[in-house]
Each structure stands twice: as C-alpha cells, then as structure tokens.
Amino acid sequence: MYIAPDAADAAICSLAHATKVGSVQTHTKWRCDFDGMPRTSPCDNNWPGIICESGSIISIALPGLNFGGYIPTQLFTISTLRYLDLSRNGLTGEFPSNIGISTLLQYLNFGSNPLNGTIPTSIGDLNKLEYLILSENSMSGDLPTHMATMTDLKLLSITITSIAGTLPTLLGVLTSLEHLQLSGNSFTGTIPTEIASLNLLRFMDLHNNFLTGLIPIELSTMPSVESFIFVGNTVTGTNPFISIKPVILTDNQFNGMVYTANVSGSTFGSEYS
C-alpha cells in the first residue's frame, strides 16, 4: 500500500470521503482506502482535477460534477494550495471556518452550491487571494470587516445569496479590484463613496438589492470604469454621471434629463443636465 508522505495526501482523501467525487465517472482514479489514505500519490498524473508542482498539490479543479456532500475542513491543511474550484457540485453545510489557514490561495470558487452559514472572519487571512466567487448559495450575515486585508483581490463575486447589511466602506481599500459583483442580495443603505478610491475598477454590478439614497458623484470620475449596473434599487436624485460610460439605471428614481441609448433592452445613461 502507498504510504502518504504528508498530511496533504490525506486531506485529498478527506474530500473524497466527504463527497461522492470518487464515484464520479471521470474521477474513478481517485483511490482512497477506508483509513483515509491514498493508494497512490495524487501527484502521479492519474488523479484528474489535481495539479502538482515539485511534488506538492497546488490546484484542485472539480467544477460542475454535482457529486454532493460537504467541504471538509481538513482540505485546507494543504499548505501549498493556490487554486480551488468546487463550484456547481451541490455541496451543502457551512462555509469552512478554517479556510484562513490556506494562506497561499489565489483563486477560490465555491459558487452555485447550497452552502449556508456566514462568511467566516478567517477569510481575511487569505491576503494573496485574487479571485473570490461565492455566488448562488444560501449564506447569510454580512461581509466581514476582516476582508479589508484582502488587497490583492481582482474579482469579488457574491451574488444571489441571503447576505445583507450595508455595503461596507472596507470595499474602498480593496484597491486591486477590477470586478465587483454583489447583485441579488439584501444589501441596504447607501452606496459608500469609498468605492470611488478603486482606480482599477472596471465593472460593478449592484442590481436587485435594497440600496437607497444618492449615487455618490465621486463615482463619475473613476478612471477605469466600463460598466456600472444599479437596476432594481431605489437610489434617487439627479444622476451624477457625466461621461459616456455604460451605466444601467432603470428601475430607480432619478431627476434631470438623461440622454439614453437602448442596448439589448437596457437603458444606458450617458449625458446629464
């Protein structure tokens, strides 16, 4: 029997036991014994979905297999892990509270799984993370303030969940953000002016929340913006955008003249008086 050299191999088998990944046809080469140890090395190129570097696991990519089960906490003891995609698999249970120990993670996608609970504060320890996708789940609570340390984030996508509260001002310190997708949640209050500090932000989607108040005029001068979407909120007042950028503003309450162009059924604001 193969003798695992470290805890990382056993952590891979914890995922196999917590889910039905071993029974999925494309992953029948995942061979784990009942004692939780693999029969062969996960790095021997015969374990689909696993990528290794210098004998260490750096990537687990198993999207869209619908194998069910839950996410085991032992998985995050793989200290070399940089990429983890378990999206669209019917995984249930709470978001693992110890995720912060995977400090080398750069990409994390748990999207389209019926996970519940809240986003753990330990997620703020993932200060190398560049892509975070937690969309389409049953999680609740608010965005933890500890996320302010995640300054390498380029994409933050948390859509169609039960997450609520106000949009935190901490978003303004995530200065690497290029894509911010927070649509379909239960956020309330106003849009924080701190978002205007995100000079690299190209796309922001806040549609279908419960946002109110004025859109901060500071957002109109952001240098990299390509598209803002505010549909389905109750923001009010005179629209502040003065440059020609795709800004979808329907289903809100604005005063003033708006020059519009219809693109694929949406109304884009471009010039205001």
Side-chain angles (χ1 to χ4, degrees):
M1 185 180 73
Y2 166 73
I3 299 175
D6 55 37
D9 291 0
I12 285 292
C13 282
S14 76
L15 179 62
H17 287 303
T19 67
K20 297 179 180 178
V21 65
S23 64
V24 176
Q25 184 176 5
T26 56
H27 291 81
T28 53
K29 292 183 180 180
W30 279 46
R31 302 296 187 184
C32 295
D33 289 326
F34 289 109
D35 62 0
M37 303 302 284
R39 299 174 190 172
T40 62
S41 170
C43 294
D44 67 1
N45 295 322
N46 290 321
W47 287 50
I50 305 296
I51 296 176
C52 297
E53 185 177 274
S54 301
S56 297
I57 299 167
I58 62 169
S59 174
I60 303 172
L62 302 169
L65 298 175
N66 201 32
F67 43 65
Y70 64 94
I71 303 171
T73 57
Q74 192 176 356
L75 184 64
F76 303 104
T77 62
I78 303 177
S79 60
T80 53
L81 193 61
R82 301 178 205 163
Y83 185 104
L84 179 59
D85 186 352
L86 298 179
S87 61
R88 296 176 287 120
N89 281 310
L91 297 171
T92 59
E94 294 192 356
F95 194 108
S97 60
N98 70 331
I99 193 168
I101 64 177
S102 292
T103 55
L104 296 185
L105 269 178
Q106 298 174 359
Y107 181 98
L108 177 63
N109 188 349
F110 288 163
S112 300
N113 288 298
L115 299 172
N116 55 44
T118 61
I119 300 175
T121 57
S122 66
I123 200 168
D125 295 328
L126 304 180
N127 52 26
K128 295 184 183 298
L129 199 65
E130 298 181 4
Y131 301 89
L132 176 59
I133 304 168
L134 302 177
S135 297
E136 297 183 47
N137 57 64
S138 300
M139 289 191 296
S140 57
D142 52 16
L143 296 182
T145 57
H146 294 70
M147 292 181 68
T149 61
M150 303 170 70
T151 53
D152 283 352
L153 269 182
K154 297 179 180 179
L155 181 146
L156 175 59
S157 180
I158 303 177
T159 65
I160 314 178
T161 75
S162 296
I163 291 175
T166 58
L167 289 178
T169 59
L170 69 85
L171 293 172
V173 304
L174 305 180
T175 52
S176 297
L177 267 185
E178 299 176 9
H179 293 260
L180 176 61
Q181 299 169 208
L182 298 175
S183 62
N185 297 300
S186 297
F187 289 115
T188 58
T190 59
I191 300 170
T193 59
E194 285 81 2
I195 289 178
S197 301
L198 305 179
N199 290 332
L200 300 180
L201 191 67
R202 297 166 48 209
F203 178 85
M204 180 168 69
D205 184 357
L206 301 178
H207 84 270
N208 287 356
N209 281 285
F210 299 93
L211 300 172
T212 58
L214 303 176
I215 295 179
I217 194 169
E218 291 86 351
L219 300 190
S220 66
T221 61
M222 296 175 68
S224 302
V225 169
E226 297 175 8
S227 179
F228 279 169
I229 305 176
F230 299 109
V231 173
N233 291 287
T234 53
V235 287
T236 61
T238 301
N239 199 308
F241 293 93
I242 57 176
S243 57
I244 300 178
K245 296 173 181 176
V247 181
I248 306 178
L249 301 162
T250 53
D251 298 326
N252 284 289
Q253 302 170 22
F254 290 104
N255 301 317
M257 297 178 61
V258 181
Y259 175 81
T260 62
N262 188 273
V263 180
S264 299
S266 296
T267 301
F268 291 81
S270 54
E271 186 173 336
Y272 308 90
S273 61

mmCIF file of all heavy atoms in Angstrom, residues 14-49:
data_model
loop_
_atom_site.group_PDB
_atom_site.id
_atom_site.type_symbol
_atom_site.label_atom_id
_atom_site.label_comp_id
_atom_site.label_asym_id
_atom_site.label_seq_id
_atom_site.Cartn_x
_atom_site.Cartn_y
_atom_site.Cartn_z
ATOM 1 N N SER A 14 -9.819 13.174 2.358
ATOM 2 C CA SER A 14 -10.926 13.686 3.169
ATOM 3 C C SER A 14 -12.001 14.278 2.260
ATOM 4 O O SER A 14 -13.197 14.184 2.556
ATOM 5 C CB SER A 14 -10.425 14.745 4.163
ATOM 6 O OG SER A 14 -10.166 15.991 3.532
ATOM 7 N N LEU A 15 -11.601 14.884 1.130
ATOM 8 C CA LEU A 15 -12.559 15.402 0.166
ATOM 9 C C LEU A 15 -13.296 14.256 -0.516
ATOM 10 O O LEU A 15 -14.508 14.317 -0.724
ATOM 11 C CB LEU A 15 -11.850 16.270 -0.878
ATOM 12 C CG LEU A 15 -12.737 16.858 -1.978
ATOM 13 C CD1 LEU A 15 -13.803 17.783 -1.390
ATOM 14 C CD2 LEU A 15 -11.891 17.623 -3.001
ATOM 15 N N ALA A 16 -12.578 13.183 -0.838
ATOM 16 C CA ALA A 16 -13.211 12.027 -1.475
ATOM 17 C C ALA A 16 -14.248 11.393 -0.562
ATOM 18 O O ALA A 16 -15.329 10.982 -1.014
ATOM 19 C CB ALA A 16 -12.148 11.011 -1.867
ATOM 20 N N HIS A 17 -13.943 11.322 0.746
ATOM 21 C CA HIS A 17 -14.878 10.706 1.687
ATOM 22 C C HIS A 17 -16.054 11.624 2.016
ATOM 23 O O HIS A 17 -17.157 11.142 2.293
ATOM 24 C CB HIS A 17 -14.148 10.313 2.969
ATOM 25 C CG HIS A 17 -13.257 9.123 2.806
ATOM 26 N ND1 HIS A 17 -13.712 7.898 2.362
ATOM 27 C CD2 HIS A 17 -11.919 8.959 3.014
ATOM 28 C CE1 HIS A 17 -12.709 7.035 2.302
ATOM 29 N NE2 HIS A 17 -11.609 7.657 2.693
ATOM 30 N N ALA A 18 -15.838 12.943 1.995
ATOM 31 C CA ALA A 18 -16.904 13.882 2.332
ATOM 32 C C ALA A 18 -17.862 14.103 1.170
ATOM 33 O O ALA A 18 -18.955 14.629 1.348
ATOM 34 C CB ALA A 18 -16.301 15.228 2.756
ATOM 35 N N THR A 19 -17.451 13.707 -0.018
ATOM 36 C CA THR A 19 -18.274 13.864 -1.215
ATOM 37 C C THR A 19 -18.355 12.525 -1.928
ATOM 38 O O THR A 19 -17.873 11.510 -1.436
ATOM 39 C CB THR A 19 -17.662 14.906 -2.164
ATOM 40 O OG1 THR A 19 -16.420 14.397 -2.685
ATOM 41 C CG2 THR A 19 -17.385 16.217 -1.436
ATOM 42 N N LYS A 20 -18.961 12.548 -3.107
ATOM 43 C CA LYS A 20 -19.004 11.345 -3.934
ATOM 44 C C LYS A 20 -18.068 11.482 -5.116
ATOM 45 O O LYS A 20 -18.281 10.892 -6.167
ATOM 46 C CB LYS A 20 -20.441 11.092 -4.411
ATOM 47 C CG LYS A 20 -21.419 10.812 -3.280
ATOM 48 C CD LYS A 20 -22.828 10.604 -3.806
ATOM 49 C CE LYS A 20 -23.806 10.333 -2.671
ATOM 50 N NZ LYS A 20 -25.192 10.164 -3.162
ATOM 51 N N VAL A 21 -17.006 12.280 -4.926
ATOM 52 C CA VAL A 21 -16.099 12.525 -6.036
ATOM 53 C C VAL A 21 -15.488 11.232 -6.563
ATOM 54 O O VAL A 21 -15.249 11.071 -7.756
ATOM 55 C CB VAL A 21 -15.000 13.531 -5.639
ATOM 56 C CG1 VAL A 21 -14.104 12.978 -4.558
ATOM 57 C CG2 VAL A 21 -14.176 13.933 -6.848
ATOM 58 N N GLY A 22 -15.253 10.267 -5.682
ATOM 59 C CA GLY A 22 -14.655 9.009 -6.112
ATOM 60 C C GLY A 22 -15.557 8.182 -7.001
ATOM 61 O O GLY A 22 -15.088 7.322 -7.740
ATOM 62 N N SER A 23 -16.875 8.434 -6.927
ATOM 63 C CA SER A 23 -17.807 7.655 -7.735
ATOM 64 C C SER A 23 -18.163 8.332 -9.050
ATOM 65 O O SER A 23 -18.834 7.749 -9.893
ATOM 66 C CB SER A 23 -19.095 7.397 -6.941
ATOM 67 O OG SER A 23 -19.760 8.612 -6.656
ATOM 68 N N VAL A 24 -17.722 9.581 -9.211
ATOM 69 C CA VAL A 24 -17.962 10.267 -10.479
ATOM 70 C C VAL A 24 -17.097 9.625 -11.553
ATOM 71 O O VAL A 24 -15.898 9.407 -11.351
ATOM 72 C CB VAL A 24 -17.644 11.767 -10.349
ATOM 73 C CG1 VAL A 24 -17.795 12.456 -11.701
ATOM 74 C CG2 VAL A 24 -18.586 12.406 -9.331
ATOM 75 N N GLN A 25 -17.695 9.346 -12.680
ATOM 76 C CA GLN A 25 -17.013 8.546 -13.699
ATOM 77 C C GLN A 25 -15.649 9.101 -14.086
ATOM 78 O O GLN A 25 -14.684 8.346 -14.234
ATOM 79 C CB GLN A 25 -17.902 8.430 -14.942
ATOM 80 C CG GLN A 25 -17.292 7.529 -16.023
ATOM 81 C CD GLN A 25 -18.238 7.355 -17.191
ATOM 82 O OE1 GLN A 25 -19.291 7.971 -17.246
ATOM 83 N NE2 GLN A 25 -17.840 6.517 -18.136
ATOM 84 N N THR A 26 -15.545 10.420 -14.216
ATOM 85 C CA THR A 26 -14.282 10.992 -14.669
ATOM 86 C C THR A 26 -13.230 11.033 -13.559
ATOM 87 O O THR A 26 -12.101 11.419 -13.803
ATOM 88 C CB THR A 26 -14.504 12.420 -15.198
ATOM 89 O OG1 THR A 26 -15.131 13.206 -14.175
ATOM 90 C CG2 THR A 26 -15.379 12.404 -16.422
ATOM 91 N N HIS A 27 -13.616 10.640 -12.353
ATOM 92 C CA HIS A 27 -12.669 10.690 -11.246
ATOM 93 C C HIS A 27 -12.539 9.341 -10.536
ATOM 94 O O HIS A 27 -12.229 9.260 -9.351
ATOM 95 C CB HIS A 27 -13.077 11.774 -10.247
ATOM 96 C CG HIS A 27 -12.913 13.148 -10.807
ATOM 97 N ND1 HIS A 27 -13.825 13.717 -11.633
ATOM 98 C CD2 HIS A 27 -11.903 14.047 -10.682
ATOM 99 C CE1 HIS A 27 -13.411 14.914 -12.002
ATOM 100 N NE2 HIS A 27 -12.251 15.142 -11.444
ATOM 101 N N THR A 28 -12.738 8.247 -11.293
ATOM 102 C CA THR A 28 -12.640 6.931 -10.684
ATOM 103 C C THR A 28 -11.207 6.569 -10.323
ATOM 104 O O THR A 28 -10.981 5.584 -9.623
ATOM 105 C CB THR A 28 -13.205 5.853 -11.627
ATOM 106 O OG1 THR A 28 -12.565 5.974 -12.917
ATOM 107 C CG2 THR A 28 -14.705 6.024 -11.800
ATOM 108 N N LYS A 29 -10.244 7.358 -10.778
ATOM 109 C CA LYS A 29 -8.847 7.086 -10.426
ATOM 110 C C LYS A 29 -8.453 7.690 -9.093
ATOM 111 O O LYS A 29 -7.299 7.593 -8.692
ATOM 112 C CB LYS A 29 -7.925 7.585 -11.540
ATOM 113 C CG LYS A 29 -8.071 6.782 -12.841
ATOM 114 C CD LYS A 29 -7.087 7.248 -13.903
ATOM 115 C CE LYS A 29 -7.253 6.429 -15.172
ATOM 116 N NZ LYS A 29 -6.303 6.851 -16.232
ATOM 117 N N TRP A 30 -9.404 8.358 -8.426
ATOM 118 C CA TRP A 30 -9.160 8.784 -7.058
ATOM 119 C C TRP A 30 -9.301 7.541 -6.181
ATOM 120 O O TRP A 30 -10.403 7.048 -5.952
ATOM 121 C CB TRP A 30 -10.186 9.839 -6.637
ATOM 122 C CG TRP A 30 -9.890 11.221 -7.108
ATOM 123 C CD1 TRP A 30 -9.512 11.618 -8.345
ATOM 124 C CD2 TRP A 30 -9.987 12.401 -6.317
ATOM 125 N NE1 TRP A 30 -9.363 12.978 -8.397
ATOM 126 C CE2 TRP A 30 -9.655 13.492 -7.163
ATOM 127 C CE3 TRP A 30 -10.327 12.663 -4.994
ATOM 128 C CZ2 TRP A 30 -9.636 14.809 -6.723
ATOM 129 C CZ3 TRP A 30 -10.325 13.978 -4.557
ATOM 130 C CH2 TRP A 30 -9.970 15.036 -5.406
ATOM 131 N N ARG A 31 -8.192 7.026 -5.686
ATOM 132 C CA ARG A 31 -8.206 5.781 -4.935
ATOM 133 C C ARG A 31 -7.810 6.039 -3.487
ATOM 134 O O ARG A 31 -6.638 6.305 -3.195
ATOM 135 C CB ARG A 31 -7.237 4.766 -5.564
ATOM 136 C CG ARG A 31 -7.539 4.437 -7.014
ATOM 137 C CD ARG A 31 -8.888 3.747 -7.179
ATOM 138 N NE ARG A 31 -9.101 3.282 -8.537
ATOM 139 C CZ ARG A 31 -10.217 2.717 -8.963
ATOM 140 N NH1 ARG A 31 -11.226 2.557 -8.135
ATOM 141 N NH2 ARG A 31 -10.330 2.325 -10.215
ATOM 142 N N CYS A 32 -8.798 5.965 -2.594
ATOM 143 C CA CYS A 32 -8.536 6.179 -1.175
ATOM 144 C C CYS A 32 -9.012 4.978 -0.373
ATOM 145 O O CYS A 32 -10.090 4.438 -0.629
ATOM 146 C CB CYS A 32 -9.258 7.435 -0.678
ATOM 147 S SG CYS A 32 -8.667 8.962 -1.430
ATOM 148 N N ASP A 33 -8.207 4.556 0.580
ATOM 149 C CA ASP A 33 -8.596 3.455 1.453
ATOM 150 C C ASP A 33 -9.531 3.952 2.549
ATOM 151 O O ASP A 33 -9.693 5.151 2.785
ATOM 152 C CB ASP A 33 -7.355 2.818 2.084
ATOM 153 C CG ASP A 33 -6.544 2.028 1.066
ATOM 154 O OD1 ASP A 33 -7.155 1.438 0.162
ATOM 155 O OD2 ASP A 33 -5.308 2.011 1.196
ATOM 156 N N PHE A 34 -10.129 3.016 3.264
ATOM 157 C CA PHE A 34 -11.055 3.375 4.331
ATOM 158 C C PHE A 34 -10.367 4.071 5.500
ATOM 159 O O PHE A 34 -11.009 4.750 6.293
ATOM 160 C CB PHE A 34 -11.792 2.122 4.828
ATOM 161 C CG PHE A 34 -12.787 1.587 3.838
ATOM 162 C CD1 PHE A 34 -12.544 0.401 3.160
ATOM 163 C CD2 PHE A 34 -13.962 2.278 3.572
ATOM 164 C CE1 PHE A 34 -13.467 -0.090 2.246
ATOM 165 C CE2 PHE A 34 -14.889 1.787 2.651
ATOM 166 C CZ PHE A 34 -14.633 0.602 1.986
ATOM 167 N N ASP A 35 -9.048 3.915 5.598
ATOM 168 C CA ASP A 35 -8.328 4.602 6.680
ATOM 169 C C ASP A 35 -8.000 6.050 6.325
ATOM 170 O O ASP A 35 -7.323 6.746 7.079
ATOM 171 C CB ASP A 35 -7.048 3.842 7.044
ATOM 172 C CG ASP A 35 -6.053 3.755 5.886
ATOM 173 O OD1 ASP A 35 -6.362 4.279 4.797
ATOM 174 O OD2 ASP A 35 -4.968 3.178 6.086
ATOM 175 N N GLY A 36 -8.484 6.505 5.157
ATOM 176 C CA GLY A 36 -8.303 7.896 4.780
ATOM 177 C C GLY A 36 -6.999 8.192 4.079
ATOM 178 O O GLY A 36 -6.641 9.358 3.903
ATOM 179 N N MET A 37 -6.288 7.180 3.641
ATOM 180 C CA MET A 37 -5.016 7.392 2.961
ATOM 181 C C MET A 37 -5.117 6.956 1.501
ATOM 182 O O MET A 37 -5.820 6.004 1.171
ATOM 183 C CB MET A 37 -3.903 6.603 3.652
ATOM 184 C CG MET A 37 -3.729 6.942 5.120
ATOM 185 S SD MET A 37 -3.386 8.694 5.413
ATOM 186 C CE MET A 37 -1.670 8.773 4.932
ATOM 187 N N PRO A 38 -4.430 7.677 0.603
ATOM 188 C CA PRO A 38 -4.480 7.317 -0.818
ATOM 189 C C PRO A 38 -3.625 6.083 -1.115
ATOM 190 O O PRO A 38 -2.626 5.832 -0.449
ATOM 191 C CB PRO A 38 -3.900 8.556 -1.506
ATOM 192 C CG PRO A 38 -2.998 9.161 -0.486
ATOM 193 C CD PRO A 38 -3.627 8.889 0.848
ATOM 194 N N ARG A 39 -4.033 5.347 -2.122
ATOM 195 C CA ARG A 39 -3.277 4.160 -2.529
ATOM 196 C C ARG A 39 -2.117 4.514 -3.438
ATOM 197 O O ARG A 39 -1.151 3.767 -3.555
ATOM 198 C CB ARG A 39 -4.210 3.183 -3.251
ATOM 199 C CG ARG A 39 -5.366 2.696 -2.397
ATOM 200 C CD ARG A 39 -6.332 1.854 -3.209
ATOM 201 N NE ARG A 39 -7.549 1.587 -2.470
ATOM 202 C CZ ARG A 39 -8.619 1.007 -2.986
ATOM 203 N NH1 ARG A 39 -8.624 0.619 -4.264
ATOM 204 N NH2 ARG A 39 -9.696 0.804 -2.258
ATOM 205 N N THR A 40 -2.246 5.646 -4.127
ATOM 206 C CA THR A 40 -1.166 6.158 -4.971
ATOM 207 C C THR A 40 -1.026 7.650 -4.690
ATOM 208 O O THR A 40 -1.906 8.268 -4.100
ATOM 209 C CB THR A 40 -1.460 5.952 -6.469
ATOM 210 O OG1 THR A 40 -2.632 6.679 -6.813
ATOM 211 C CG2 THR A 40 -1.653 4.476 -6.788
ATOM 212 N N SER A 41 0.051 8.238 -5.125
ATOM 213 C CA SER A 41 0.243 9.671 -4.907
ATOM 214 C C SER A 41 -0.715 10.476 -5.774
ATOM 215 O O SER A 41 -0.840 10.225 -6.978
ATOM 216 C CB SER A 41 1.679 10.066 -5.244
ATOM 217 O OG SER A 41 1.800 11.474 -5.260
ATOM 218 N N PRO A 42 -1.409 11.472 -5.200
ATOM 219 C CA PRO A 42 -2.262 12.341 -6.014
ATOM 220 C C PRO A 42 -1.490 13.116 -7.078
ATOM 221 O O PRO A 42 -2.089 13.663 -8.001
ATOM 222 C CB PRO A 42 -2.862 13.306 -4.976
ATOM 223 C CG PRO A 42 -2.778 12.572 -3.684
ATOM 224 C CD PRO A 42 -1.516 11.778 -3.768
ATOM 225 N N CYS A 43 -0.171 13.133 -6.969
ATOM 226 C CA CYS A 43 0.662 13.869 -7.923
ATOM 227 C C CYS A 43 1.239 12.980 -9.018
ATOM 228 O O CYS A 43 2.164 13.390 -9.725
ATOM 229 C CB CYS A 43 1.801 14.576 -7.177
ATOM 230 S SG CYS A 43 1.256 15.892 -6.061
ATOM 231 N N ASP A 44 0.692 11.774 -9.185
ATOM 232 C CA ASP A 44 1.278 10.882 -10.189
ATOM 233 C C ASP A 44 0.606 11.003 -11.554
ATOM 234 O O ASP A 44 0.759 10.122 -12.397
ATOM 235 C CB ASP A 44 1.232 9.423 -9.706
ATOM 236 C CG ASP A 44 -0.198 8.879 -9.609
ATOM 237 O OD1 ASP A 44 -1.151 9.630 -9.934
ATOM 238 O OD2 ASP A 44 -0.366 7.712 -9.215
ATOM 239 N N ASN A 45 -0.152 12.099 -11.757
ATOM 240 C CA ASN A 45 -0.823 12.405 -13.024
ATOM 241 C C ASN A 45 -2.014 11.500 -13.318
ATOM 242 O O ASN A 45 -2.603 11.583 -14.391
ATOM 243 C CB ASN A 45 0.161 12.323 -14.217
ATOM 244 C CG ASN A 45 1.241 13.376 -14.129
ATOM 245 O OD1 ASN A 45 0.974 14.496 -13.717
ATOM 246 N ND2 ASN A 45 2.451 13.012 -14.510
ATOM 247 N N ASN A 46 -2.385 10.633 -12.406
ATOM 248 C CA ASN A 46 -3.541 9.774 -12.607
ATOM 249 C C ASN A 46 -4.748 10.211 -11.780
ATOM 250 O O ASN A 46 -5.756 9.528 -11.759
ATOM 251 C CB ASN A 46 -3.186 8.323 -12.264
ATOM 252 C CG ASN A 46 -2.244 7.716 -13.283
ATOM 253 O OD1 ASN A 46 -2.384 7.957 -14.475
ATOM 254 N ND2 ASN A 46 -1.280 6.945 -12.818
ATOM 255 N N TRP A 47 -4.639 11.353 -11.093
ATOM 256 C CA TRP A 47 -5.753 11.860 -10.307
ATOM 257 C C TRP A 47 -6.324 13.082 -11.021
ATOM 258 O O TRP A 47 -5.791 14.193 -10.883
ATOM 259 C CB TRP A 47 -5.285 12.229 -8.893
ATOM 260 C CG TRP A 47 -4.981 11.052 -8.017
ATOM 261 C CD1 TRP A 47 -4.196 9.994 -8.326
ATOM 262 C CD2 TRP A 47 -5.459 10.841 -6.690
ATOM 263 N NE1 TRP A 47 -4.146 9.118 -7.267
ATOM 264 C CE2 TRP A 47 -4.906 9.617 -6.244
ATOM 265 C CE3 TRP A 47 -6.278 11.568 -5.827
ATOM 266 C CZ2 TRP A 47 -5.174 9.099 -4.987
ATOM 267 C CZ3 TRP A 47 -6.537 11.056 -4.571
ATOM 268 C CH2 TRP A 47 -6.001 9.823 -4.155
ATOM 269 N N PRO A 48 -7.368 12.903 -11.817
ATOM 270 C CA PRO A 48 -7.944 14.040 -12.546
ATOM 271 C C PRO A 48 -8.357 15.159 -11.592
ATOM 272 O O PRO A 48 -8.867 14.930 -10.498
ATOM 273 C CB PRO A 48 -9.163 13.426 -13.231
ATOM 274 C CG PRO A 48 -8.841 11.972 -13.346
ATOM 275 C CD PRO A 48 -8.077 11.646 -12.109
ATOM 276 N N GLY A 49 -8.145 16.393 -12.051
ATOM 277 C CA GLY A 49 -8.511 17.554 -11.261
ATOM 278 C C GLY A 49 -7.421 18.041 -10.332
ATOM 279 O O GLY A 49 -7.557 19.111 -9.730
#
